[in-house]
Amino acid sequence: MAISLRKARTIIRKALEKGRELDLKPLSVVVLDAGGHVQAFEREDGASPGRFQIAHGKAHGAVMFGAPSSVIGEIAKERPHFGAALSGVYGGQIVPVPGGVLIKDKKGAIIGAVGVTGDTSENDAAAALAGIEAAGLVGVV
Amino acid sequence: MAISLRKARTIIRKALEKGRELDLKPLSVVVLDAGGHVQAFEREDGASPGRFQIAHGKAHGAVMFGAPSSVIGEIAKERPHFGAALSGVYGGQIVPVPGGVLIKDKKGAIIGAVGVTGDTSENDAAAALAGIEAAGLVGVV
Amino acid sequence: MAISLRKARTIIRKALEKGRELDLKPLSVVVLDAGGHVQAFEREDGASPGRFQIAHGKAHGAVMFGAPSSVIGEIAKERPHFGAALSGVYGGQIVPVPGGVLIKDKKGAIIGAVGVTGDTSENDAAAALAGIEAAGLVGVV
Amino acid sequence: MAISLRKARTIIRKALEKGRELDLKPLSVVVLDAGGHVQAFEREDGASPGRFQIAHGKAHGAVMFGAPSSVIGEIAKERPHFGAALSGVYGGQIVPVPGGVLIKDKKGAIIGAVGVTGDTSENDAAAALAGIEAAGLVGVV
């Protein structure tokens, strides 16, 4: 199953709504498909200009390695040489802190990832998860 | 004047509507701010995975060089060595065919660019322009 | 509000004057606009040849991430894997030590950044701040 | 002999004055030293954001190859495979159109280069030359 643009829009809107609800700083949200390619992205007014790259790196690492960015962050902390290698093989397009959340369908297949940046990494991840669940999908934080 | 996320959404939606109205192939639309940074992006269902890069390259070249991608395309055809050089200095992030349309405000200041890809370059540019005008802004195709 | 070339010149001259006043080593000073693009740069006689890149990296990281380079430096020290990731997603164009100072206008909007290098990072930051304030703007060190 | 910052400032100011005198579009001017490293740069208000890269590429190719960018442009037109190779070995940092002017001292030694962009390539080169000569140096267009 692919993520339709309609689903991607829902994920982004609901993630941003969650941010407003929790009074977070301006968020940026990207949705990647199962191949790690950009489906949709929005950056809220007031966010710094370089937020696409961070949101993308969180979600891209998650899809490519098959684990949420929080797990990649644990790897990077415990085995820095492996974290550095992942950055190398993925051309630097990996951000190993929470906020890159895998999207699974009801059968458990990974169909993409959401990357959120702007507030604390934990709040970013919470907003991503809220968006995914509002779209009727399963998030792996 | 900056492009608000609200304006960027309008541009994308109206560009995509134009595509449906003209029965174009699935489109991908990016909106960049005046510094060439991604504000919003959407890729329609059925579009190939690598469409973000093309939409981005069209719009990015336009903002950075200060001319629509159609003009950069003329340069690249007439002076291929200059076209290649622009690609070099902008790290390959430039696509010199129509579809990268500058956004100006009412006073004539460049406030960003829209990049559209998916159909013929001319149709891509028409969709971009429709989006920009629907948002009450001025497009330079 | 954009940084005019006139303002950028004032910032650079006053930052260099501060350096002479404090008897600092030869300084290099860059002014970037709100999109992280180079507005003006000067390297004092006696500075090493590769100073543009360092001044640029301090200021570029600040604009793109929306925080002074001192804050990015704290992140890089406390969470080295995140610091490395920022370097990766910004193509290595980030130097996480003090001396990359955000420029805000009177309303609090970020309109660019100044990057200074040549002496200790703290002195670099002091020179940047002096330049920004002499131009009637607000610096975030 | 090195180019002092004072000389570099004179070159930039006089090149910009020439642009105003000839009613050229907003110019950007870089001065590189004999090693191809940035000494000073200014971008006039109204110039597009990506002008540093173009000015730099013109001057950088000139210093590194030891010929003005107009000559490199001839090479690129007549022997495109060589032009492409130069771009490759210099990491894309070369723009083979007029406007990258070598700076020689009175004895004929190359001590740097000026890169100008913003108007036609020929006008860019004329502004660069005017700046170099106003500083009492010799330009090779």
Side-chain angles (χ1 to χ4, degrees), chain B:
Chain B
M1 192 184 116
I3 297 176
S4 65
L5 175 54
R6 194 174 160 180
K7 286 271 185 191
R9 279 177 185 159
T10 300
I11 291 171
I12 291 176
R13 296 304 167 81
K14 294 298 181 178
L16 294 180
E17 278 181 22
K18 190 70 178 180
R20 288 319 103 234
E21 185 189 318
L22 300 177
D23 200 26
L24 306 185
K25 291 180 191 168
L27 298 181
S28 300
V29 184
V30 75
V31 178
L32 305 187
D33 66 20
H37 302 293
V38 189
Q39 191 77 50
F41 172 79
E42 288 191 0
R43 171 163 58 103
E44 284 192 307
D45 299 340
S48 67
R51 291 289 164 174
F52 172 79
Q53 290 90 330
I54 298 177
H56 177 266
K58 289 183 178 186
H60 183 256
V63 171
M64 295 299 277
F65 191 66
S69 64
S70 59
V71 168
I72 302 177
E74 291 306 311
I75 290 171
K77 272 190 279 190
E78 288 163 21
R79 292 190 283 166
H81 56 293
F82 190 25
L86 289 177
S87 177
V89 295
Y90 294 143
Q93 300 304 305
I94 180 170
V95 176
V97 298
V101 179
L102 288 175
I103 309 170
K104 290 191 173 183
D105 62 18
K106 299 294 185 190
K107 293 178 185 166
I110 295 173
I111 58 171
V114 175
V116 176
T117 181
D119 205 273
T120 67
S121 296
E122 284 68 23
N123 285 339
D124 292 344
L129 186 61
I132 293 167
E133 292 181 344
L137 296 163
V138 178
V140 183
V141 179

Side-chain angles (χ1 to χ4, degrees), chain D residues 105-123:
Chain D
D105 62 18
K106 298 294 185 190
K107 294 177 184 168
I110 296 173
I111 58 171
V114 174
V116 176
T117 182
D119 205 273
T120 67
S121 296
E122 285 68 24
N123 285 338

Side-chain angles (χ1 to χ4, degrees), chain C residues 3-6 9 12-13 16 32-33 37-45 49-50 52-53, chain D residues 3-6 9 12-13 16 32-33 37-45 49-50 52-53:
Chain C
I3 297 176
S4 65
L5 175 54
R6 196 175 161 180
R9 279 178 185 158
I12 291 177
R13 296 303 167 83
L16 294 180
L32 304 187
D33 66 19
H37 302 293
V38 189
Q39 190 77 49
F41 172 78
E42 287 190 0
R43 171 163 58 103
E44 285 192 307
D45 299 339
F52 173 79
Q53 290 90 328
Chain D
I3 297 174
S4 64
L5 175 54
R6 194 175 160 179
R9 279 178 185 159
I12 291 177
R13 294 302 166 83
L16 294 180
L32 305 187
D33 66 19
H37 301 291
V38 189
Q39 189 77 51
F41 172 79
E42 288 190 359
R43 172 162 58 104
E44 284 193 307
D45 299 340
F52 173 80
Q53 291 91 324

